[in-house]
C-alpha cells in the first residue's frame, strides 16, 4: 500500500533507492539542517543499512516519490517512536536538493500526518527542528504544527551545541481542518 498526497506518493524503501538515500545522507546541507549522524556513509554502509531494515512496528520509513514518477525517490519521510498506547510519533523529513521549495515537502508532511491520524489513529505527531532551520520550521507551521517549546543546547553541530524547537500537531487540530488540507 502506498500513501498518496496530491503531488507525492509515500512508498516503501526499495533497494533501488539506495543511491538517492546515500546522496541525501552525505549531502552537507541536509546534514547541517537535521539531527542525526555526522559522518560520511559509503555505498557498502548504505547497502548494509538497507539489509538490516526490519519490519518494526515503531518506525515507518517511506520514500517520497513524485506522483509523475513514483519509481524515483525524491526524499524520505519517517514516523519514528510510534507509541500506540499514547498515540504519538515523531515525524522526520528529508528532501533532495532538486525538489526543495516546490511544495513537495508540504504535501509529504500532510500525507504522512493524514496516515498517522486516519489510519494509525494516533493523537499527536511531533517534530524536533534545529533553531536555524527556518525552511523546516516554516514547512511544519504551514501544515498546522504549533511550536511547543525550545530545547536548549540539544544538538551538537558545527563544533557547538544549538537549540532545537519542538513542534506538534494534534488529531483534533487535523480534523478541524486547521492544516489547510
Amino acid at each position: 500500500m502506498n500513501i498518496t498526497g496530491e503531488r507525492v506518493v509515500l512508498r516503501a524503501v526499495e533497494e533501488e533507492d539506495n543511491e538517492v538515500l546515500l546522496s541525501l545522507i552525505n549531502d552537507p546541507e541536509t546534514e547541517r539542517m537535521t539531527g542525526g549522524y555526522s559522518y560520511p556513509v559509503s555505498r557498502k554502509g548504505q547497502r548494509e543499512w538497507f539489509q538490516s531494515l526490519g519490519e518494526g512496528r515503531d518506525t515507518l520509513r517511506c520514500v517520497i516519490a513524485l506522483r509523475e514518477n513514483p519509481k524515483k525517490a525524491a526524499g524520505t519521510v519517517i514516523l519514528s517512536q510510534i507509541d500506540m498506547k499514547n498515540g504519538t510519533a515523531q515525524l522526520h523529513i528529508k528532501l533532495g536538493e532538486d525538489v526543495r521549495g516546490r511544495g513537495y515537502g508540504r504535501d509529504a508532511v500532510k500525507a504522512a500526518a493524514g496516515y498517522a491520524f486516519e489510519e494509525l489513529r494516533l493523537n499527536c505527531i511531533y517534530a524536533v527542528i534545529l533553531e536555524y532551520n527556518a525552511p523546516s520550521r516554516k514547512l511544519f507551521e504551514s501544515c498546522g504544527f504549533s511550536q511547543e517549546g525550545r530545547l536548549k543546547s540539544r544538538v551538537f553541530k558545527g563544533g557547538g551545541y544549538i537549540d532545537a524547537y519542538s513542534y506538534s500537531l494534534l488529531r483534533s487540530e487535523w480534523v478541524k481542518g486547521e492544516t489547510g488540507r
Side-chain angles (χ1 to χ4, degrees):
M1 176 193 103
N2 291 332
I3 302 164
T4 57
E6 291 178 17
R7 304 177 66 203
V8 300
V9 174
L10 308 182
R11 61 168 176 76
V13 178
E14 300 292 348
E15 194 166 2
E16 304 82 61
D17 301 321
N18 274 337
E19 280 301 313
V20 172
L21 299 176
L22 185 63
S23 69
L24 273 174
I25 200 163
N26 284 329
D27 175 45
E29 183 64 10
T30 299
E31 192 283 325
R32 188 178 84 76
M33 298 300 253
T34 59
Y37 301 109
S38 296
Y39 56 85
V41 175
S42 67
R43 281 184 172 79
K44 179 182 179 208
Q46 180 65 28
R47 278 192 309 274
E48 289 171 354
W49 171 83
F50 176 80
Q51 292 167 349
S52 74
L53 289 179
E55 297 295 323
R57 304 196 101 194
D58 66 343
T59 302
L60 171 66
R61 287 181 178 84
C62 294
V63 160
I64 301 168
L66 309 186
R67 286 189 87 159
E68 61 264 19
N69 188 2
K71 295 275 189 198
K72 185 178 182 316
T76 60
V77 66
I78 300 170
L79 285 171
S80 70
Q81 300 174 14
I82 299 172
D83 180 341
M84 298 306 284
K85 178 186 179 293
N86 293 304
T88 61
Q90 185 171 0
L91 181 62
H92 314 261
I93 185 169
K94 289 182 181 178
L95 289 171
E97 185 177 0
D98 57 333
V99 297
R100 292 178 195 151
R102 297 175 49 200
Y104 296 115
R106 185 172 192 268
D107 194 41
V109 168
K110 288 170 52 177
Y115 182 77
F117 295 133
E118 296 165 11
E119 295 297 325
L120 298 180
R121 296 182 294 180
L122 298 181
N123 185 55
C124 176
I125 52 177
Y126 61 94
V128 176
I129 303 171
L130 303 181
E131 70 177 327
Y132 55 70
N133 189 343
S136 285
R137 293 174 65 191
K138 182 178 176 185
L139 166 65
F140 278 83
E141 288 168 2
S142 77
C143 292
F145 284 72
S146 299
Q147 183 181 319
E148 289 188 316
R150 179 178 174 177
L151 308 169
K152 296 180 184 177
S153 297
R154 192 54 53 103
V155 177
F156 189 80
K157 288 278 182 182
Y161 287 95
I162 60 164
D163 295 351
Y165 291 94
S166 173
Y167 282 81
S168 71
L169 178 64
L170 297 175
R171 181 183 187 154
S172 61
E173 295 165 338
W174 175 262
V175 172
K176 290 179 189 173
E178 294 175 15
T179 60
R181 293 196 299 174

